[in-house]
Amino acid sequence: MTEWSCKYEVTVVMELKQVLQEARRKKGLTQQQVADMLDVTLRTYQRYESGTRRMSLETAVLLSEILGVDVRDLAQRQSRSA
């Protein structure tokens, strides 16, 4: 992996993190509340939000509905961070 590609991947993960955090905060939700709505543990949601764990398409769709974010945007950001 080149230095450039490594930096690019970190940037993409940060973008996903920023999108999720910003949308969650705009809705006035805590990480625990979103985790409960997704029926996952707090730690699992924290890993989704930090980009250290990939979510299923089903989870991405549900999360997009909860946060009011376009699911295609979440999927694209997640796939680029892999």
Side-chain angles (χ1 to χ4, degrees), residues 13 20-21 24 32 37 52:
V13 170
L20 293 177
Q21 284 180 347
R24 178 178 54 77
Q32 183 65 63
M37 291 178 203
T52 59

Side-chain angles (χ1 to χ4, degrees), residues 12-78:
V12 171
V13 170
M14 289 176 66
E15 287 178 11
L16 177 62
K17 176 180 180 176
Q18 290 169 344
V19 167
L20 293 177
Q21 284 180 347
E22 208 172 289
R24 178 178 54 77
R25 289 178 179 152
K26 281 183 182 178
K27 292 283 188 174
L29 298 170
T30 65
Q31 289 181 329
Q32 183 65 63
Q33 288 170 317
V34 176
D36 291 344
M37 291 178 203
L38 293 173
D39 197 28
V40 298
T41 65
L42 172 60
R43 188 69 188 129
T44 295
Y45 178 74
Q46 288 170 332
R47 288 178 176 155
Y48 292 155
E49 196 170 281
S50 70
T52 59
R53 180 176 177 149
R54 295 181 58 84
M55 64 187 92
S56 68
L57 180 57
E58 180 181 324
T59 300
V61 169
L62 182 56
L63 185 57
S64 72
E65 292 171 359
I66 292 167
L67 299 179
V69 177
D70 188 336
V71 71
R72 292 172 294 196
D73 189 40
L74 290 181
Q76 287 172 348
R77 290 174 191 275
Q78 179 173 259

Side-chain angles (χ1 to χ4, degrees), residues 1-9:
M1 178 180 306
T2 66
E3 182 180 339
W4 179 86
S5 65
C6 182
K7 287 180 182 177
Y8 175 75
E9 288 177 13

